[in-house]
Amino acid sequence: MPTRKKEFKKITTHVLQEMKRNGEKISMLTAYDYTMASIVDNAGIDVILVGDSASNVMAGHETTLPITLDQMIYHASSVIRATDRALVVVDLPFGSYQGNSKEALNSAIRIMKESGAHSVKLEGGREVRESVARILTAGIPVMGHLGLTPQSIYKFGTYTVRAREEEEADNLLADAHLLQEAGCFAIVLEKIPASLAEKVAKELTIPVIGIGAGGGVDGQVLVVHDMLGLTTEFSPRFLRRYANLFDTISGAVKNYITDVKAKDFPNTNEQY
Ligand code: KIV
């Protein structure tokens, strides 16, 4: 069994800011369980996001809204046990921070205390400013998330590109500045025009990480199940598939079934 390499620089929020200053792009992927986090961390990813997309890809819900704080903490603690190098960011789930900064602080504290995570992420701009500030009072680093914010899907009505119109683009730019001033260490921009995302990244001093936001930002994030081709139905233009694990796993399972039915597995070397 290969031994894990331990000579590495642990990624912190300060390292990410240094990477932006040096023009080094930041790589970020989601993970929700021990095994996947271990693979992703050993491969050298900079940031692991325990995203509330777990609601979709792990639990099979249509939206991110149903996942609970307890479930996020369960996923986050599994990821933390596997992670040596990456910075681990955990999504505050829907209903755990909106409209009540005290509840936001309590939720963030629970995530940090019960999972051992390194930071939290929340969606929104001016409307969550107070929550960001209050969480920061406890010394918990906060990542922002603007553009397509899936927790507001029932307000938007669709998952299409956001901020194409000037007014929404201006508001997004203002919110990005506001989150930086409030103390966020980085911001995710989801599914917005590349030119707007590049402008935000140029104007802000904190790292801007994009998903469907073009190449002019400071880093990229994808949902690991999508980029590995474990999911097949979700195919937005921005998604590059680096593997087709759906077919690989399906083929392996079919071979196993065939071998069991044919009494070929286990053979005499595979028994005691
Ligand atoms: O939950 C998630 O996976 C996310 C990414 C899409 C950025 O928030």
Side-chain angles (χ1 to χ4, degrees):
M1 210 167 119
T3 52
R4 292 173 104 184
K5 238 176 116 204
K6 291 278 180 190
E7 310 91 46
F8 47 70
K9 184 171 181 180
K10 262 186 180 301
I11 304 294
T12 63
T13 58
H14 299 280
V15 171
L16 297 183
Q17 293 179 355
E18 199 180 296
M19 285 167 80
K20 171 160 180 148
R21 280 196 299 275
N22 296 338
E24 184 186 342
K25 299 279 186 187
I26 296 163
S27 60
M28 171 162 152
L29 279 175
T30 64
Y32 319 97
D33 65 90
Y34 178 87
T35 305
M36 187 67 83
S38 162
I39 295 169
V40 164
D41 188 55
N42 273 287
I45 202 79
D46 297 316
V47 184
I48 295 179
L49 171 65
V50 184
D52 58 359
S53 48
S55 180
N56 310 113
V57 295
M58 298 300 287
H61 293 296
E62 214 168 288
T63 72
T64 57
L65 276 65
I67 200 160
T68 65
L69 185 58
D70 284 337
Q71 288 164 343
M72 289 304 296
I73 290 169
Y74 166 76
H75 287 297
S77 31
S78 307
V79 166
I80 281 290
R81 282 192 287 275
T83 306
D84 290 326
R85 175 181 176 271
L87 180 84
V88 176
V89 184
V90 181
D91 266 336
L92 282 167
F94 176 70
S96 72
Y97 65 95
Q98 291 97 338
N100 183 338
S101 65
K102 188 160 184 269
E103 196 176 347
L105 174 61
N106 289 340
S107 302
I109 288 177
R110 278 201 62 203
I111 286 177
M112 302 295 281
K113 214 180 180 66
E114 295 176 38
S115 76
H118 311 138
S119 59
V120 298
K121 174 165 86 58
L122 46 70
E123 296 182 6
R126 59 204 74 183
E127 68 279 15
V128 295
R129 184 190 189 144
E130 220 181 282
S131 293
V132 170
R134 194 134 182 193
I135 295 169
L136 283 163
T137 62
I140 300 171
V142 182
M143 178 180 271
H145 184 155
L146 295 170
L148 176 62
T149 46
Q151 291 179 12
S152 306
I153 184 57
Y154 292 114
K155 183 176 105 187
F156 296 143
T158 93
Y159 286 102
T160 51
V161 180
R162 304 300 314 169
R164 278 198 197 275
E165 306 302 328
E166 198 177 326
E167 191 184 343
E168 195 182 340
D170 288 347
N171 280 335
L172 187 145
L173 189 60
D175 278 348
H177 278 280
L178 186 145
L179 290 175
Q180 173 170 275
E181 276 149 31
C184 282
F185 72 90
I187 293 177
V188 165
L189 293 181
E190 181 165 354
K191 226 172 172 186
I192 63 166
S195 55
L196 174 62
E198 185 169 1
K199 187 171 159 73
V200 175
K202 278 203 173 117
E203 288 193 14
L204 297 195
T205 55
I206 59 173
V208 173
I209 299 173
I211 172 163
V217 289
D218 307 305
Q220 298 294 327
V221 56
L222 286 174
V223 169
V224 75
H225 287 59
D226 297 334
M227 62 82 76
L228 291 178
L230 280 163
T231 52
T232 53
E233 279 159 28
F234 182 66
S235 266
R237 187 206 298 201
F238 68 76
L239 175 62
R240 186 180 294 179
R241 288 196 204 283
Y242 287 84
N244 183 348
L245 292 194
F246 185 94
D247 284 352
T248 305
I249 293 173
S250 174
V253 171
K254 283 180 185 157
N255 288 342
Y256 168 73
I257 295 168
T258 304
D259 289 353
V260 169
K261 302 274 180 199
K263 301 181 186 147
D264 180 57
F265 175 79
N267 63 26
T268 50
N269 293 326
E270 293 163 331
Q271 65 187 23
Y272 300 98

